Structures are given as C-alpha cells and as structure tokens.
Amino acid sequence: MALDRDNWICVGVIAGAHGVRGQVKIKSYTENPVDVASYGPVSDDFGNSFDIKITGQAKGTVLTQLKGVTDRDRAQEMRGTKLYVNRDLLPKLNEDGEYYYSDLVGLQVENPQGEVLGTVKGVFNFGAGDILEFTSAGGRPEMVSFTESTVPVVDLEGRRIVVALPEVVLGREG
C-alpha cells in the first residue's frame, strides 16, 4: 500500500543494528512498543517499504528483522531512519484530549496570557519523559517538558498550545 505523505504518522525510528544478520533495533513510538509491527509494512522517507518481524525487546527498543535487510552493515546504515504508516491504519482517537504528536507540529505556542512564543517543531522522548520542542518567535530552539502542568492546553481546532513556564526559563529574566 502506497503511503499518502499528507497522512504519514511516524511509528518509530531505527536505533541501530543488532547482531550480524541484519536485525535492527527500533525505538517505537506506539503505546505498546511491539505494536510498531501491527499496522502492516512501514515506509521510510523515500517510500521504501519494509515488513517488520519482531524478534525481541531490549533496553527500550524492539528487536526486529526487516524484510530485505540481511547483514549488519546494511542494518547500521539505516540508523536514524524514520518509519511511517498511513494514519488510517492506526487506532481511531476516541476522547477529547487525544492526539498524535505529529498533529502538534506547526501549532502556535502561546503563554497563558496569549503572547505568541513560537511554533511547535516536534515532540521527543530521550528517556526521561516527553519533551516539546518549539522555535521561538526570535528563531531560537526551545525545549520544555511536555507535562500537563507545563502544557496545560492543546487546542488542535484553534491550532495552538499553551506553555506555562516561569519567564526565566524562556530567557526573559529581568
């Protein structure tokens, strides 16, 4: 199935090679990490398609075999490759307040008083919780913890989120 690039959702990224027979470690972005293989073939940024076979789990990654990847060198070359599926293959979102992180990219970032702080660039997890990255109105990258207390409002319909932080954190100290 060809991917409709407007509806791509990134479900994981290849973290590196595992072993000598072409297995790769995938950092899964799905709620249950092994679900990265549940939606059929995944595609990379170039539209190459890969079937995923789960072979295990280790240190926050899913160990997999990608069809067509048979040696360590090829597996290691793929490190950093993002893996996508079409949105319509993923579970439907049921509740208000549910969204895919990719839905946040491009939203306007405001403080609680409505002042524009910038634009969402992405949401990441480096192991200690989710981090929201945005480009400030001045063009600087900013990163904040993506928790309910620091990001109390996500308004997809209004195309904005609210970030509530002390002024000193945003480099605006007196």
Side-chain angles (χ1 to χ4, degrees):
M1 171 182 205
L3 282 178
D4 172 3
R5 289 183 184 256
D6 291 336
N7 289 311
W8 279 14
I9 298 287
C10 184
V11 293
V13 63
I14 296 176
H18 178 76
V20 296
R21 294 192 176 112
Q23 288 189 350
V24 296
K25 297 179 284 188
I26 295 176
K27 169 70 175 157
S28 176
Y29 298 147
T30 57
E31 186 172 10
N32 181 358
V34 297
D35 284 349
V36 72
S38 297
Y39 308 108
V42 295
S43 294
D44 64 14
D45 285 312
F46 304 104
N48 299 312
S49 182
F50 303 96
D51 290 319
I52 299 177
K53 178 182 175 190
I54 303 291
T55 60
Q57 289 184 283
K59 296 182 182 176
T61 63
V62 180
L63 306 177
T64 67
Q65 184 70 56
L66 299 181
K67 188 174 183 177
V69 179
T70 58
D71 65 75
R72 182 175 179 80
D73 290 340
R74 174 67 177 126
Q76 193 58 31
E77 287 172 5
M78 296 182 74
R79 184 170 194 239
T81 299
K82 293 179 181 177
L83 304 172
Y84 302 92
V85 297
N86 274 329
R87 175 186 290 272
D88 60 352
L89 297 174
L90 297 173
K92 301 296 179 217
L93 300 175
N94 299 335
E95 303 174 22
D96 285 338
E98 284 191 338
Y99 44 84
Y100 291 112
Y101 285 164
S102 62
D103 295 336
L104 304 180
V105 175
L107 295 186
Q108 182 170 286
V109 178
E110 301 175 355
N111 68 13
Q113 294 74 36
E115 178 186 355
V116 175
L117 301 176
T119 305
V120 175
K121 184 173 179 182
V123 179
F124 307 97
N125 188 317
F126 303 110
D130 292 329
I131 303 292
L132 177 78
E133 181 180 14
F134 65 95
T135 303
S136 73
R140 290 189 330 261
E142 303 281 355
M143 292 184 137
V144 297
S145 178
F146 191 21
T147 64
E148 200 169 320
S149 62
T150 56
V151 184
V153 176
V154 175
D155 178 6
L156 292 179
E157 203 170 288
R159 306 271 314 137
R160 70 185 188 97
I161 65 169
V162 174
V163 171
L165 289 178
E167 292 294 317
V168 69
V169 174
L170 292 174
R172 299 167 190 255
E173 58 187 319

